[in-house]
Amino acid sequence: MSALPKCPQCNSEFTYEDGEMYVCPECGKEWSRQAAESTDEKRVVKDSNGNVLQDGDTVTVIKDLKIKGSSSVVKVGTKVKNIRLVEGDHDIDCKIDGIGAMSLKSEFVKKI
């Protein structure tokens, strides 16, 4: 049995083939075999305005973000220095002064 690729959106291992397409039953994403074969391209992460982010960039938070499991909040305008891009749903790892290490979604930040 050949190994099918993981879902590029949710990273699920339960993908299946449907004709010339791959389908993820967990998130519903469909993609072609050609797209699966061209995954050796580097992933591009963009901020809320469409600017390309890179490791080491400085960004600001554009929305109040509640911290799961805590009563703390990351306020609008919080400056986050020296970000690191990672794979996954929360694609930014960083340290925020007064809070500590966190993971953020790129859709909630703006590049400075």
Side-chain angles (χ1 to χ4, degrees):
M1 181 175 180
S2 66
L4 296 175
K6 291 183 178 182
C7 176
Q9 186 167 332
C10 68
N11 208 25
S12 171
E13 298 177 352
F14 304 112
T15 58
Y16 62 90
E17 290 179 281
D18 185 20
E20 292 294 317
M21 303 288 285
Y22 291 118
V23 180
C24 175
E26 291 187 17
C27 68
K29 172 132 177 103
E30 296 181 3
W31 68 102
S32 66
R33 288 185 187 191
Q34 291 86 10
E37 292 170 358
S38 66
T39 56
D40 53 346
E41 300 173 13
K42 187 166 179 152
R43 183 171 168 235
V44 176
V45 177
K46 296 183 179 184
D47 70 356
S48 62
N49 294 332
N51 299 317
V52 177
L53 296 174
Q54 298 177 349
D55 287 344
D57 282 345
T58 300
V59 297
T60 57
V61 177
I62 63 166
K63 178 182 176 184
D64 282 349
L65 302 173
K66 295 180 183 178
I67 300 174
K68 195 177 223 180
S70 172
S71 61
S72 301
V73 175
V74 178
K75 295 285 191 178
V76 172
T78 301
K79 186 186 274 188
V80 181
K81 298 177 184 177
N82 199 19
I83 64 170
R84 187 169 57 99
L85 302 179
V86 295
E87 294 292 323
D89 187 34
H90 291 74
D91 43 14
I92 297 174
D93 275 349
C94 60
K95 288 185 182 176
I96 298 177
D97 293 337
I99 296 175
M102 286 196 66
S103 293
L104 300 172
K105 290 186 177 185
S106 59
E107 63 193 74
F108 298 122
V109 298
K110 174 177 71 170
K111 186 174 181 178
I112 297 179

